[in-house]
Amino acid sequence: MTGKRLNLHLISDATGDTLNAVARAAIAQFEGAEIHLHRWSLIRSRLQLHRVLEGIEAERGPVLSTLVDRALRGELEQACQRLGLQVLHMLDPVFDLLQQEFGAPTRPTPGRQYVLDADYFRRIDAMHYVISHDDGQAIRGLAEADVILVGVSRSSKTPTSFYLANRGIKAANVPLVPGLALPPELNDPPCPVVGLFIEAAPLIEIRRHRLSLLGAASGPAAAFQRDDAAYIDEEAVGQELLWARRLCSSRFWPTVNVTRRSIEETAAAVLKMMETWHERRARRG
C-alpha cells in the first residue's frame, strides 16, 4: 500500500450493521491500508444529515450509504458532489435486481428490517436461552436446544453460542472435562451436538491469559481449581484434547477446529452441520 490515509464515511438510517459488515470485509483485502471509519447511524432527518455533512467536510473522504429516503439521498449526493467526493448507495444494486424480478418498485422505509416481529422475539428468546444454559448450566433444559456445543475449556463455546443466538438459534454449551461424567441428556441428544476444538499451543496461551486475569487463584474450569498448573501444562492439555476428540469420535459428533477461525466462521460451520443433521434425520423418516 502507498500509506495513504483515507477517511471512509458510513451513513445509515438504521443501526449501520450492513455497512459495517461490508466495509470490514472490503478493508480486510487492503493489507496495511490506513482507513479511518466514520460511522453515522440512525440518520432519518435533515437536521441529523446536516451534522453528518459537517463531519464529512471536516474529515473529507468517500461515502458509503444505505439511506433509503429519497430526499436525504438527494441532499447527500449534492453535498458530496460539491465537495468532490464519491458516494455509493450500497443497497441500490440489490433493489434494482429485485425490482426487475418482481416487476414492482420498493417502498422505502428506514429500519424496516428491524421491526418487532416473530423473528425478532425468537432472537431475544434464544439470547435468554444461551445465558441460562452457558457452560453446562440448567442441564435439564437441553431438550429445548437447537444445537449443543461441546468442547474443553476456552474453546470458544460461549462466544459462538451468543453469535448463533443472534441468528435465533438456541445454543447450549457443555464443557468437556476429563473425569467428569457427561449429562445423561447427551446419551440421546434431541438436537445436533458439535464439538469445538483448538490446537494445544494457542489453547495454552489463552488459558494462561485467563489465569492471569483471575489472579491465578482459581482456574475457570472446576476440574482445575485445585491445580492451575495442570490447566496450562503442555502434556496435560495434549491428553485433555486427545480424550475430548476420542469422545466426540466415539459418539459420531462432528467437530470444528476453531484455531484459525473467527467466531463468524465457526458459527457458519456449525449451521452447516445442523443442516446436515436434519437432512439425515428426515431421510431416516
Side-chain angles (χ1 to χ4, degrees):
M1 301 299 295
T2 62
K4 175 182 176 181
R5 180 185 188 278
L6 177 69
N7 291 305
L8 183 60
H9 294 270
L10 311 180
I11 306 176
S12 172
D13 50 26
T15 64
D17 290 345
T18 300
L19 282 176
N20 287 333
V22 171
R24 189 167 60 247
I27 291 171
Q29 304 303 318
F30 293 86
E31 187 175 352
E34 186 180 357
I35 301 176
H36 295 260
L37 298 179
H38 303 267
R39 299 178 175 87
W40 310 90
S41 58
L42 299 174
I43 305 304
R44 300 182 180 179
S45 70
R46 292 188 65 192
L47 177 61
Q48 292 171 324
L49 181 61
H50 289 169
R51 291 172 182 164
V52 173
L53 296 178
E54 290 174 358
I56 294 175
E57 189 162 7
E59 298 282 352
R60 298 195 178 194
V63 173
L64 300 182
S65 164
T66 53
L67 296 179
V68 297
D69 183 277
R70 291 185 177 88
L72 295 182
R73 285 164 55 107
E75 192 164 348
L76 173 63
E77 291 166 358
Q78 291 177 11
C80 288
Q81 186 176 17
R82 174 175 57 82
L83 296 171
L85 301 174
Q86 295 188 71
V87 56
L88 179 62
H89 298 291
M90 299 299 298
L91 296 178
D92 281 5
V94 182
F95 287 159
D96 291 343
L97 184 150
L98 294 179
Q99 286 177 171
Q100 291 174 19
E101 292 294 328
F102 289 114
T106 61
R107 292 185 294 172
T109 304
R112 197 169 190 173
Q113 69 271 41
Y114 298 110
V115 295
L116 304 184
D117 56 7
D119 183 60
Y120 172 82
F121 289 107
R122 184 164 55 251
R123 294 198 304 272
I124 296 300
D125 190 36
M127 196 68 70
H128 285 304
Y129 181 87
V130 168
I131 293 171
S132 300
H133 298 79
D134 182 40
D135 203 29
Q137 299 181 73
I139 292 300
R140 291 184 179 179
L142 291 181
E144 304 170 20
D146 296 316
V147 64
I148 300 172
L149 305 181
V150 298
V152 300
S153 173
R154 316 316 298 175
S155 56
S156 299
K157 298 186 300 298
T158 295
T160 303
S161 295
F162 277 102
Y163 185 88
L164 289 169
N166 197 45
R167 301 283 295 272
I169 304 295
K170 290 183 178 180
N173 75 77
V174 176
L176 298 181
V177 182
L180 291 185
L182 291 175
E185 287 78 4
L186 287 180
N187 292 329
D188 185 21
C191 64
V193 179
V194 177
L196 302 187
F197 287 94
I198 182 171
E199 294 172 7
L203 176 59
I204 291 171
E205 188 61 31
I206 292 170
R207 288 181 170 183
R208 184 178 288 115
H209 178 67
R210 176 64 172 170
L211 288 178
S212 68
L213 292 178
L214 296 175
S218 61
F224 295 100
Q225 288 181 352
R226 297 183 301 275
D227 185 4
D228 290 338
Y231 190 61
I232 55 176
D233 176 75
E234 183 175 352
E235 183 176 353
V237 170
Q239 290 298 318
E240 180 187 0
L241 290 172
L242 180 61
W243 167 81
R245 283 187 177 277
R246 286 176 173 172
L247 174 65
C248 288
S249 178
S250 69
R251 295 187 174 228
F252 302 101
W253 293 338
T255 60
V256 180
N257 188 333
V258 305
T259 305
R260 295 174 184 83
R261 291 180 187 261
S262 65
I263 297 301
E264 295 87 347
E265 290 172 324
T266 299
V270 171
L271 288 170
K272 184 63 177 177
M273 291 173 178
M274 290 175 62
E275 181 181 327
T276 300
W277 186 88
H278 286 289
E279 288 175 352
R280 288 176 177 170
R281 191 176 190 184
R283 285 198 297 267
R284 290 196 300 264

